[in-house]
Amino acid sequence: MAIIDVKKILMDEIQKLTSRKDDFVKNPGKDFSRKRKISFSDVISNLISMEAGSIRSELLEYFSFSSDSPTTSAFIQQRDKVSQNAFEALFYSFTDAIYPANESGAYHFFAVDGSKVNIPMIIDSDEDYTYFSREDQCSFSQIHVDAIYDLDNLLYKGISFCPRKQNNEREAFHSMLDKLSFPQKSVFIFDRGYEGYALMAHISSQNQYFVIRAKDRKSGGIINGIPTPDTEQYDFIYDKIFVHRMKKAYKEHPERYHATHRTKSPYFLNSETKEYQMSFRVCRFKLDNGSYECLLTNLPPEEFNLNALKEIYHMRWGIETSFRYLKYTVGLNDFHTKKEEGIKQELWARLIMFNFCSKISKIVPHKEKTEKYEWTINFTNLALLCRKVLILGSEQIPAIEVLISKVISPVRPERNNPRNKKRRRPSSFNYKRR
């Protein structure tokens, strides 16, 4: 597969949407029924390729600086006719089309996490997006993005949005796990905050695997209610029948039963299910800095010892890196609207662009290893060139492919720099139109 093939897949998926555009517009049968300078497919393609500039500058570049380029007002009127569902459908259809088949039968690793995105003050919604970190601070708006990220193929597999105040990361994962299909032997890796019997039961019910960072002993988490060895490090299987209430018959066999809070989950204890049998590993190990980490997993111990679990959990950092690229390189922090529907359009568009760039990074040949370093495509420069791939003609793409193969950076896994956290507000709209 070459770059031109990836572009063709994306263009084909956009054309499929266009062929049934009445499913994705506000007024079916009326919107985009007349011939305009900006068609339905132009709205989709332009939003995907947009950078952080004004709408006018983005339109000029998209239409090759033609003197007949549409105006900013015309573009705004056209994009307001398109539902954000069009971009959501395109994201999943495009991702499925470029997703490689897992023919080897090996384990497939996914990281699950959420991230907050600062957005402009929404002018057509309620206060769910408004957030205060302190009472004496001015309010600001945020949307919460929950993601399932493929660590092997560097692609976002599942995405869920919600206002900051409605954030529930576990419920978002439950919804995505039911909605999407995953290859066999998928391993979902979670940070703290996701641990819960209902989530573990849901994953196990689909014959998949989990690795969850848990709170340590005496910290109020799951492990706090499990009898553990007195040693500093351990790895044992906890096999119990979980019940909501310890009746007399259960109390006579404490080695078999464990009382826990009943949830509303259809996969765990509920009004119909009084007992649920579950088996998982409880692990605790020492890190290089002297602290201890706890993990819950159902991976088989004969294939994954403690050192392997440490490496698997370390892989989870890939989703944090992807969020950084998504926000600051692809432009998730840069919006061209204050309308709720428009913000969601651009969120999906940035995710499509990220997967487009990631797929290209996996197929472009480049210098991979020397005596000193392994090399990888520089994602920042890659994103810049991939935008040009979407805009330029097919005859210019071979030159872009050569340029991409040269924008490489050394891989330095041992480098550990402190995180430089800076507060960043959404881009000003002094020069942008809604």
Side-chain angles (χ1 to χ4, degrees):
M1 182 179 287
I3 290 180
I4 194 169
D5 299 319
V6 182
K7 178 180 178 179
K8 184 178 185 305
I9 291 173
L10 180 56
M11 295 298 107
D12 287 345
E13 295 301 324
I14 293 176
Q15 288 306 312
K16 290 178 183 178
L17 281 185
T18 304
S19 65
R20 54 190 187 98
K21 59 179 179 293
D22 281 350
D23 295 335
F24 304 107
V25 295
K26 306 291 181 60
N27 299 297
K30 180 179 178 181
D31 292 339
F32 296 100
S33 59
R34 298 173 60 187
K35 186 175 181 179
R36 302 282 189 180
K37 290 183 180 179
I38 306 177
S39 65
F40 178 87
S41 59
D42 285 333
V43 172
I44 303 291
S45 300
N46 195 12
L47 282 172
I48 292 173
S49 62
M50 269 188 173
E51 298 184 68
S54 66
I55 292 178
R56 183 58 182 162
S57 63
E58 300 289 349
L59 285 172
L60 286 172
E61 185 170 11
Y62 181 81
F63 287 96
S64 304
F65 295 92
S66 168
S67 59
D68 198 32
S69 297
T71 63
T72 301
S73 177
F75 175 78
I76 293 172
Q77 293 177 49
Q78 292 295 83
R79 74 172 290 182
D80 284 346
K81 300 175 183 177
V82 182
S83 168
Q84 60 99 12
N85 294 334
F87 293 87
E88 180 181 2
L90 178 61
F91 169 80
Y92 284 112
S93 64
F94 173 65
T95 302
D96 289 343
I98 63 173
Y99 209 78
N102 184 21
E103 299 176 350
S104 64
Y107 287 91
H108 211 91
F109 297 95
F110 296 89
V112 183
D113 205 354
S115 182
K116 297 179 287 292
V117 178
N118 289 340
I119 60 177
M121 290 290 188
I122 294 179
I123 61 176
D124 55 358
S125 70
D126 54 23
E127 297 181 354
D128 288 338
Y129 293 93
T130 306
Y131 185 74
F132 295 85
S133 60
R134 296 193 311 269
E135 291 185 359
D136 60 339
Q137 185 183 39
C138 293
S139 63
F140 55 94
S141 296
Q142 287 187 331
I143 195 168
H144 196 276
V145 180
D146 294 287
I148 301 178
Y149 181 69
D150 187 329
L151 296 165
D152 300 303
N153 297 301
L154 308 182
L155 298 172
Y156 282 105
K157 178 68 172 176
I159 292 293
S160 176
F161 303 137
C162 69
R164 168 69 183 268
K165 292 181 180 179
Q166 298 177 6
N167 170 40
N168 188 323
E169 292 181 329
R170 292 189 206 175
E171 290 300 320
F173 174 74
H174 283 299
S175 176
M176 288 187 284
L177 188 59
D178 283 333
K179 175 183 177 181
L180 306 174
S181 61
F182 294 90
Q184 293 182 349
K185 302 177 76 172
S186 292
V187 183
F188 299 97
I189 310 170
F190 303 86
D191 201 2
R192 278 190 306 193
Y194 281 91
E195 60 176 307
Y197 291 121
L199 184 141
M200 295 156 64
H202 190 182
I203 297 173
S204 300
S205 70
Q206 300 204 3
N207 298 317
Q208 305 288 25
Y209 300 91
F210 58 81
V211 176
I212 305 175
R213 182 184 175 190
K215 296 178 182 178
D216 206 345
R217 295 176 294 194
K218 300 180 181 180
S219 298
I222 286 178
I223 294 180
N224 197 45
I226 297 176
T228 57
D230 294 332
T231 57
E232 295 296 332
Q233 299 189 98
Y234 46 76
D235 181 1
F236 66 93
I237 296 178
Y238 190 66
D239 190 357
K240 293 284 184 178
I241 299 175
F242 292 84
V243 296
H244 174 53
R245 187 176 301 167
M246 288 294 279
K247 299 178 181 178
K248 182 178 179 180
Y250 299 155
K251 292 180 180 179
E252 293 175 355
H253 299 280
E255 75 284 357
R256 294 179 56 195
Y257 297 95
H258 178 95
T260 186
H261 178 69
R262 187 178 71 190
T263 70
K264 297 180 181 179
S265 169
Y267 310 98
F268 193 53
L269 298 177
N270 49 56
S271 57
E272 288 78 27
T273 305
K274 307 296 183 182
E275 298 180 2
Y276 188 93
Q277 186 167 1
M278 186 185 296
S279 179
F280 56 89
R281 292 166 62 188
V282 182
C283 308
R284 190 173 191 262
F285 48 83
K286 190 174 184 178
L287 301 177
D288 295 337
N289 60 7
S291 61
Y292 287 87
E293 201 71 88
C294 298
L295 295 177
L296 306 175
T297 182
N298 60 344
L299 287 170
E302 61 272 12
E303 295 186 59
F304 299 92
N305 57 23
L306 279 180
N307 288 330
L309 290 178
K310 289 169 66 175
E311 292 298 321
I312 289 173
Y313 182 72
H314 181 69
M315 291 170 59
R316 194 204 68 83
W317 193 252
I319 193 172
E320 304 289 356
T321 303
S322 75
F323 282 143
R324 176 167 63 87
Y325 288 141
L326 183 62
K327 290 181 179 180
Y328 303 110
T329 302
V330 179
L332 193 64
N333 281 330
D334 301 304
F335 293 93
H336 301 79
T337 180
K338 293 185 179 181
K339 298 179 181 179
E340 182 178 11
E341 186 81 9
I343 286 173
K344 291 181 178 179
Q345 287 177 353
E346 297 195 28
L347 286 168
W348 285 115
R350 299 295 174 270
L351 288 159
I352 294 168
M353 189 65 197
F354 180 94
N355 280 1
F356 181 81
C357 295
S358 291
K359 184 62 178 180
I360 289 177
S361 72
K362 299 286 284 187
I363 64 175
V364 172
H366 62 279
K367 181 172 64 174
E368 294 184 350
K369 192 171 184 179
T370 60
E371 293 183 0
K372 188 174 182 180
Y373 292 120
E374 289 187 10
W375 297 82
T376 185
I377 298 288
N378 183 292
F379 197 89
T380 301
N381 292 319
L382 170 70
L384 173 67
L385 294 172
C386 283
R387 283 192 169 99
K388 307 306 177 186
V389 169
L390 292 178
I391 297 174
L392 298 176
S394 58
E395 70 281 356
Q396 298 169 290
I397 290 180
I400 298 293
E401 188 166 350
V402 173
L403 289 174
I404 291 176
S405 66
K406 294 181 179 180
V407 290
I408 56 177
S409 299
V411 178
R412 300 184 176 96
E414 303 302 325
R415 176 172 289 189
N416 186 14
N417 295 326
R419 297 178 68 183
N420 184 17
K421 296 183 179 180
K422 293 183 179 180
R423 181 176 298 173
R424 175 171 174 174
R425 294 183 176 275
S427 299
S428 171
F429 281 89
N430 291 334
Y431 70 101
K432 294 181 180 180
R433 293 285 302 276
R434 293 182 298 180

